[in-house]
Amino acid sequence: MQLIDTHVHINFDVFQSDLEAVRQRWLEAGVIRLVHSCVEPDEFASIQAIARKFPEVFFAVGLHPLDADKWGLQSEDQILSLGRSDPKVVAIGEMGLDFYKAENQAIQESVFLAQLNVAKKLDKPVIIHCRDAAARMRELLQGFWDSRGAVRGVMHCWVGEPQETEWFVDLGFYISFSGIVTFKNAVQIQESARIVPISRLLIETDCPFLAPVPKRGKRNEPAYVRYVADRVADLRGVSTEEIAKITTENADRLFGFS
């Protein structure tokens, strides 16, 4: 059985001491490819070094909405340049909106639209972070679609209600579920996992965060994406092998893996 973890942060300090062992575990778990997301462009060198060391690691470059205040005059050109400079860059992100306790919503929106523009220029998919902002995200995407044309991508670590899920499916997005879908009280997220069209379904860990049951409370790692696959399979009444096959095919298609 082969799996793809479509969202990791293994350049974080918590992996420095044992990354080789973490890699061995993900290989043993059947994880054949990983997409390393980017919080800010200054991470590029550390992520690139991991991707060069491990052939199965691909990555994105972008600016997280919680770091939107770091956007400067050269930021768009910098992300464009980084996106063109390495063939293992398969997406722009993570980018988006995070309105949880946010006081800079207008800045986040401006930075988000600028990165959509980068993705459009590069013809690369986007990795979207969306927290407490689904309605506004939908408006911004629809406006961009109407004025510039569609950009493909994924709503990562999805926690939206079923109706919100349908909004983004209708816009052509893939929906990726993390370890949260295994949590006992994640009822709405579990319902979303049931209704996403099988051709738009992805899985991820978002490690080192949000370890799934039965590893909840521990450092998350790519090998644990198997538990996400298990839970999604259970929710949809199919085998884990089928979820693994479909989500691997979907990730290959979205990110352009050979």
Side-chain angles (χ1 to χ4, degrees):
M1 185 171 66
Q2 297 182 334
L3 296 156
I4 295 180
D5 187 347
T6 61
H7 200 104
V8 304
H9 298 275
I10 55 175
N11 66 321
F12 285 9
D13 290 345
V14 293
F15 290 111
Q16 276 194 355
S17 64
D18 66 340
L19 186 55
E20 290 283 357
V22 170
R23 185 204 184 203
Q24 186 59 39
R25 288 193 290 274
W26 83 54
L27 292 175
E28 291 171 356
V31 179
I32 59 167
R33 281 183 285 282
L34 304 86
V35 179
H36 199 305
S37 197
C38 180
V39 175
E40 59 177 303
D42 286 349
E43 289 186 302
F44 185 81
S46 66
I47 297 172
Q48 186 180 46
I50 292 171
R52 286 177 173 171
K53 186 174 184 179
F54 302 145
E56 66 273 22
V57 176
F58 296 79
F59 61 107
V61 61
L63 185 65
H64 192 286
L66 292 180
D67 291 296
D69 291 331
K70 297 179 181 179
W71 190 264
L73 294 175
Q74 304 302 317
S75 296
E76 183 169 341
D77 288 341
Q78 181 186 19
I79 294 175
L80 269 169
S81 176
L82 296 175
R84 289 170 174 149
S85 66
D86 192 317
K88 296 196 84 174
V89 175
V90 294
I92 304 301
E94 63 188 279
M95 52 190 280
L97 303 176
D98 191 321
F99 289 172
Y100 180 72
K101 297 183 179 179
E103 297 179 355
N104 65 341
Q105 293 185 9
I107 294 173
Q108 287 190 32
E109 292 177 10
S110 175
V111 171
F112 174 61
L113 290 171
Q115 291 185 88
L116 283 179
N117 188 55
V118 170
K120 188 70 174 175
K121 289 180 179 179
L122 295 177
D123 191 27
K124 291 186 184 294
V126 292
I127 297 172
I128 292 185
H129 171 109
C130 182
R131 186 179 186 189
D132 291 355
R136 185 58 178 149
M137 174 66 71
R138 181 194 191 191
E139 292 174 356
L140 292 176
L141 287 172
Q142 189 63 65
F144 191 90
W145 272 214
D146 292 343
S147 62
R148 295 291 316 280
V151 173
R152 65 195 187 279
V154 55
M155 308 300 293
H156 110 87
C157 192
W158 183 241
V159 294
E161 299 175 359
Q163 181 185 29
E164 296 168 342
T165 303
E166 291 175 353
W167 293 348
F168 297 107
V169 168
D170 288 345
L171 283 165
F173 275 85
Y174 291 75
I175 310 293
S176 182
F177 294 93
S178 69
I180 298 175
V181 78
T182 71
F183 297 175
K184 181 179 179 180
N185 295 326
V187 176
Q188 292 191 113
I189 299 166
Q190 291 163 1
E191 182 57 30
S192 288
R194 290 187 181 98
I195 67 170
V196 172
I198 196 72
S199 61
R200 302 286 188 81
L201 185 66
L202 294 173
I203 53 176
E204 64 175 85
T205 57
D206 199 15
C207 63
F209 313 110
L210 304 170
V213 176
K215 302 293 185 178
R216 190 172 183 184
K218 300 181 179 180
R219 180 192 69 177
N220 202 2
E221 60 179 74
Y224 299 166
V225 77
R226 167 64 187 265
Y227 298 114
V228 180
D230 287 341
R231 183 60 176 136
V232 172
D234 179 61
L235 290 167
R236 298 181 71 104
V238 299
S239 68
T240 299
E241 288 76 13
E242 182 173 347
I243 292 299
K245 179 178 183 293
I246 291 295
T247 56
T248 295
E249 291 173 353
N250 292 345
D252 284 344
R253 184 167 59 251
L254 176 62
F255 295 111
F257 300 132
S258 59

